[in-house]
Coordinates of all heavy atoms in Angstrom, one line a residue:
S16 N 93.2 94.4 116.0 CA 94.5 94.4 115.4 C 94.6 95.5 114.3 O 93.6 95.9 113.7 CB 94.8 93.1 114.7 OG 94.8 92.1 115.7
L17 N 95.8 96.0 114.1 CA 96.1 96.9 113.0 C 97.5 96.6 112.5 O 98.3 96.1 113.3 CB 96.1 98.4 113.5 CG 94.7 99.1 113.7 CD1 94.9 100.4 114.3 CD2 93.9 99.2 112.4
R18 N 97.7 96.9 111.3 CA 99.1 96.8 110.8 C 99.5 98.1 110.2 O 98.9 98.6 109.3 CB 99.2 95.7 109.7 CG 100.7 95.5 109.3 CD 100.9 94.4 108.3 NE 100.7 94.7 107.0 CZ 101.2 94.1 105.9 NH1 102.0 93.1 106.1 NH2 100.9 94.5 104.7
L19 N 100.5 98.7 110.8 CA 101.1 100.0 110.3 C 102.2 99.7 109.3 O 102.9 98.7 109.3 CB 101.6 100.8 111.5 CG 100.7 101.0 112.7 CD1 101.4 101.9 113.7 CD2 99.4 101.6 112.2
S20 N 102.3 100.6 108.3 CA 103.3 100.6 107.3 C 104.1 101.9 107.3 O 103.5 102.9 107.6 CB 102.7 100.3 105.9 OG 102.0 99.1 105.9
C21 N 105.3 101.8 106.9 CA 106.1 103.0 106.8 C 107.0 102.8 105.5 O 107.7 101.8 105.4 CB 107.0 103.1 108.0 SG 108.3 104.4 107.8
T22 N 106.9 103.8 104.7 CA 107.8 103.9 103.5 C 108.8 105.1 103.7 O 108.5 106.0 104.3 CB 107.0 104.0 102.2 OG1 106.2 105.2 102.3 CG2 106.2 102.8 102.0
A23 N 109.9 104.9 103.0 CA 110.9 106.0 103.1 C 111.5 106.3 101.7 O 111.6 105.4 100.9 CB 112.1 105.5 104.0
S24 N 111.8 107.5 101.6 CA 112.5 107.9 100.3 C 113.9 107.3 100.4 O 114.5 107.2 101.4 CB 112.6 109.4 100.2 OG 113.2 110.0 101.3
G25 N 114.4 106.9 99.2 CA 115.8 106.3 99.2 C 115.8 104.9 99.7 O 114.8 104.2 99.8
T26 N 117.0 104.5 100.1 CA 117.2 103.1 100.5 C 117.6 102.9 101.9 O 118.3 102.0 102.3 CB 118.3 102.5 99.6 OG1 119.5 103.2 99.7 CG2 117.8 102.5 98.1
I27 N 117.1 103.8 102.8 CA 117.6 103.8 104.2 C 117.3 102.5 104.9 O 118.1 102.0 105.7 CB 117.0 105.0 105.0 CG1 117.6 105.0 106.3 CG2 115.5 104.8 105.1 CD1 118.4 106.3 106.6
F28 N 116.2 101.8 104.6 CA 115.9 100.6 105.3 C 116.8 99.5 104.9 O 116.9 98.4 105.6 CB 114.4 100.2 105.0 CG 113.4 101.0 105.6 CD1 112.2 101.3 105.0 CD2 113.6 101.6 106.8 CE1 111.2 102.1 105.6 CE2 112.7 102.5 107.4 CZ 111.4 102.7 106.8
S29 N 117.6 99.6 103.8 CA 118.5 98.6 103.4 C 119.9 98.8 104.1 O 120.6 97.8 104.2 CB 118.8 98.7 101.9 OG 117.7 98.5 101.2
I30 N 120.1 99.9 104.7 CA 121.5 100.2 105.2 C 121.5 100.6 106.7 O 122.5 100.8 107.2 CB 122.2 101.3 104.4 CG1 121.3 102.6 104.4 CG2 122.4 100.8 103.0 CD1 122.1 103.8 103.8
A31 N 120.3 100.7 107.3 CA 120.2 101.2 108.7 C 119.2 100.5 109.5 O 118.4 99.8 109.0 CB 119.9 102.7 108.6
A32 N 119.4 100.6 110.8 CA 118.4 100.1 111.7 C 117.1 101.0 111.6 O 117.2 102.1 111.1 CB 118.9 100.1 113.1
A33 N 116.0 100.4 112.1 CA 114.8 101.2 112.0 C 113.9 100.9 113.2 O 114.1 99.9 113.9 CB 114.0 100.8 110.7
G34 N 113.1 101.9 113.5 CA 112.2 101.7 114.7 C 110.9 102.3 114.5 O 110.6 103.2 113.6
W35 N 109.9 101.9 115.4 CA 108.6 102.5 115.5 C 108.6 103.2 116.8 O 109.0 102.6 117.9 CB 107.5 101.4 115.4 CG 107.2 101.0 114.0 CD1 107.7 99.8 113.4 CD2 106.4 101.6 113.1 NE1 107.2 99.8 112.1 CE2 106.3 100.9 111.9 CE3 105.6 102.8 113.2 CZ2 105.6 101.2 110.8 CZ3 104.9 103.2 112.0 CH2 104.9 102.4 110.9
Y36 N 107.9 104.3 116.8 CA 107.8 105.1 118.0 C 106.3 105.4 118.2 O 105.5 105.5 117.3 CB 108.5 106.5 117.8 CG 110.0 106.3 117.6 CD1 110.5 105.9 116.4 CD2 110.9 106.4 118.7 CE1 111.9 105.7 116.3 CE2 112.2 106.2 118.6 CZ 112.7 105.9 117.3 OH 114.1 105.7 117.2
R37 N 106.0 105.7 119.5 CA 104.6 106.0 119.8 C 104.6 107.3 120.7 O 105.5 107.4 121.6 CB 103.9 104.9 120.6 CG 102.5 105.2 121.1 CD 101.9 104.0 121.7 NE 102.6 103.5 122.9 CZ 102.4 102.2 123.3 NH1 101.7 101.3 122.7 NH2 103.0 101.9 124.5
Q38 N 103.7 108.2 120.4 CA 103.6 109.3 121.3 C 102.1 109.4 121.8 O 101.2 109.7 121.0 CB 103.9 110.7 120.6 CG 103.9 111.8 121.5 CD 104.7 113.0 121.0 OE1 105.0 113.1 119.8 NE2 105.0 113.9 121.9
A39 N 101.9 109.0 123.0 CA 100.6 109.0 123.6 C 100.2 110.4 124.0 O 101.1 111.2 124.2 CB 100.6 108.1 124.8
P40 N 98.9 110.7 124.1 CA 98.5 112.0 124.5 C 99.1 112.5 125.8 O 99.1 111.8 126.8 CB 97.0 111.9 124.6 CG 96.6 110.7 123.8 CD 97.8 109.8 123.9
G41 N 99.8 113.6 125.7 CA 100.4 114.2 126.9 C 101.7 113.6 127.4 O 102.2 113.9 128.4
K42 N 102.2 112.7 126.6 CA 103.4 112.0 126.9 C 104.5 112.2 125.9 O 104.3 112.6 124.8 CB 103.2 110.5 127.1 CG 102.2 110.2 128.3 CD 102.1 108.7 128.5 CE 101.2 108.4 129.7 NZ 101.2 106.9 130.0
Q43 N 105.7 111.8 126.3 CA 106.8 112.0 125.3 C 106.8 110.8 124.3 O 106.3 109.7 124.6 CB 108.2 112.0 126.1 CG 108.4 113.3 126.9 CD 109.8 113.3 127.5 OE1 110.4 112.3 127.8 NE2 110.3 114.5 127.8
R44 N 107.4 111.0 123.2 CA 107.6 110.0 122.2 C 108.5 108.9 122.8 O 109.5 109.2 123.4 CB 108.2 110.6 120.9 CG 108.0 109.8 119.7 CD 108.4 110.6 118.5 NE 107.6 111.7 118.3 CZ 107.7 112.6 117.3 NH1 108.6 112.4 116.4 NH2 106.9 113.6 117.2
E45 N 108.2 107.7 122.5 CA 109.0 106.6 123.0 C 109.2 105.5 121.9 O 108.4 105.3 121.0 CB 108.3 105.9 124.2 CG 106.9 105.3 123.9 CD 106.3 104.5 125.0 OE1 107.1 104.0 125.9 OE2 105.1 104.4 125.0
L46 N 110.4 104.9 122.0 CA 110.7 103.8 121.1 C 110.0 102.5 121.6 O 110.2 102.1 122.7 CB 112.2 103.6 121.0 CG 112.7 102.4 120.2 CD1 112.4 102.6 118.7 CD2 114.3 102.3 120.4
I47 N 109.2 101.9 120.7 CA 108.5 100.7 121.1 C 109.0 99.5 120.4 O 108.7 98.3 120.9 CB 107.0 100.9 121.0 CG1 106.6 101.2 119.5 CG2 106.4 101.9 121.9 CD1 105.1 101.1 119.2
A48 N 109.6 99.6 119.3 CA 110.1 98.4 118.5 C 111.2 98.8 117.6 O 111.2 99.9 117.0 CB 109.0 97.8 117.7
S49 N 112.2 98.0 117.4 CA 113.3 98.3 116.5 C 113.8 97.0 115.8 O 113.6 95.9 116.3 CB 114.5 98.9 117.3 OG 115.0 98.0 118.3
I50 N 114.4 97.2 114.7 CA 114.9 96.1 113.9 C 116.3 96.6 113.4 O 116.5 97.7 112.9 CB 114.0 95.7 112.7 CG1 114.5 94.5 112.0 CG2 113.7 96.9 111.8 CD1 113.5 93.9 111.1
S51 N 117.3 95.7 113.6 CA 118.6 96.1 113.2 C 118.8 95.9 111.7 O 118.0 95.3 111.0 CB 119.7 95.2 114.0 OG 119.6 93.9 113.4
R52 N 120.0 96.3 111.3 CA 120.3 96.2 109.8 C 120.3 94.7 109.4 O 119.9 94.3 108.3 CB 121.6 96.8 109.5 CG 121.9 96.9 108.0 CD 123.2 97.7 107.8 NE 124.3 97.2 108.6 CZ 125.1 96.2 108.1 NH1 124.9 95.7 106.9 NH2 126.1 95.8 108.8
L53 N 120.7 93.9 110.4 CA 120.8 92.4 110.1 C 119.5 91.7 110.4 O 119.4 90.5 110.2 CB 121.9 91.8 110.9 CG 123.3 92.3 110.5 CD1 124.4 91.6 111.3 CD2 123.6 92.2 109.0
G54 N 118.5 92.4 111.0 CA 117.2 91.8 111.1 C 116.8 91.4 112.5 O 115.7 90.9 112.8
S55 N 117.7 91.6 113.5 CA 117.3 91.2 114.9 C 116.3 92.3 115.4 O 116.5 93.5 115.0 CB 118.5 91.1 115.8 OG 119.2 92.3 115.8
T56 N 115.4 91.9 116.2 CA 114.3 92.8 116.7 C 114.3 93.0 118.2 O 114.8 92.1 118.9 CB 113.0 92.4 116.2 OG1 112.7 91.1 116.7 CG2 112.9 92.3 114.7
N57 N 113.8 94.1 118.6 CA 113.6 94.3 120.0 C 112.2 95.0 120.2 O 111.9 95.9 119.3 CB 114.7 95.2 120.6 CG 115.9 94.4 121.0 OD1 115.9 93.6 121.9 ND2 117.0 94.7 120.3
H58 N 111.5 94.7 121.2 CA 110.2 95.3 121.5 C 110.2 95.8 123.0 O 110.7 95.1 123.9 CB 109.1 94.3 121.2 CG 109.0 93.9 119.8 ND1 109.8 92.9 119.3 CD2 108.3 94.3 118.8 CE1 109.6 92.7 118.0 NE2 108.6 93.6 117.7
A59 N 109.6 96.9 123.2 CA 109.4 97.4 124.6 C 108.6 96.5 125.4 O 107.7 95.8 124.8 CB 108.8 98.8 124.5
D60 N 108.8 96.4 126.6 CA 108.0 95.5 127.5 C 106.5 95.8 127.4 O 105.7 94.8 127.4 CB 108.4 95.7 129.0 CG 109.8 95.1 129.2 OD1 110.3 94.3 128.4 OD2 110.4 95.4 130.3
S61 N 106.1 97.0 127.1 CA 104.7 97.4 127.1 C 104.0 96.8 125.8 O 102.8 96.7 125.8 CB 104.5 98.9 127.0 OG 105.2 99.4 125.9
V62 N 104.8 96.4 124.8 CA 104.2 95.8 123.6 C 104.6 94.4 123.3 O 104.2 93.8 122.4 CB 104.4 96.7 122.4 CG1 103.9 98.1 122.7 CG2 105.9 96.7 122.0
K63 N 105.6 93.9 124.1 CA 106.2 92.6 123.8 C 105.1 91.5 123.8 O 104.2 91.5 124.7 CB 107.2 92.3 124.8 CG 108.2 91.2 124.5 CD 109.4 91.1 125.4 CE 110.2 92.3 125.3 NZ 111.4 92.3 126.2
G64 N 105.1 90.7 122.8 CA 104.1 89.6 122.7 C 102.9 90.0 122.0 O 102.0 89.2 121.6
R65 N 102.7 91.3 121.8 CA 101.5 91.8 121.1 C 101.8 92.5 119.7 O 101.1 92.4 118.8 CB 100.7 92.8 122.0 CG 100.3 92.2 123.3 CD 99.4 93.2 124.0 NE 100.1 94.4 124.4 CZ 99.7 95.7 124.0 NH1 98.6 95.8 123.2 NH2 100.4 96.7 124.3

Side-chain angles (χ1 to χ4, degrees):
S16 298
L17 284 173
R18 187 174 82 156
L19 306 184
S20 299
C21 170
T22 58
S24 59
T26 58
I27 187 117
F28 290 146
S29 298
I30 60 174
W35 280 100
Y36 298 80
R37 175 172 67 199
Q38 187 160 19
K42 295 187 177 181
Q43 291 186 333
R44 196 171 300 181
E45 60 174 338
L46 175 64
I47 58 170
S49 64
I50 185 165
S51 74
R52 188 172 58 86
L53 297 180
S55 61
T56 61
N57 278 292
H58 299 80
D60 288 345
S61 60
V62 305
K63 197 170 293 183
R65 300 186 298 121

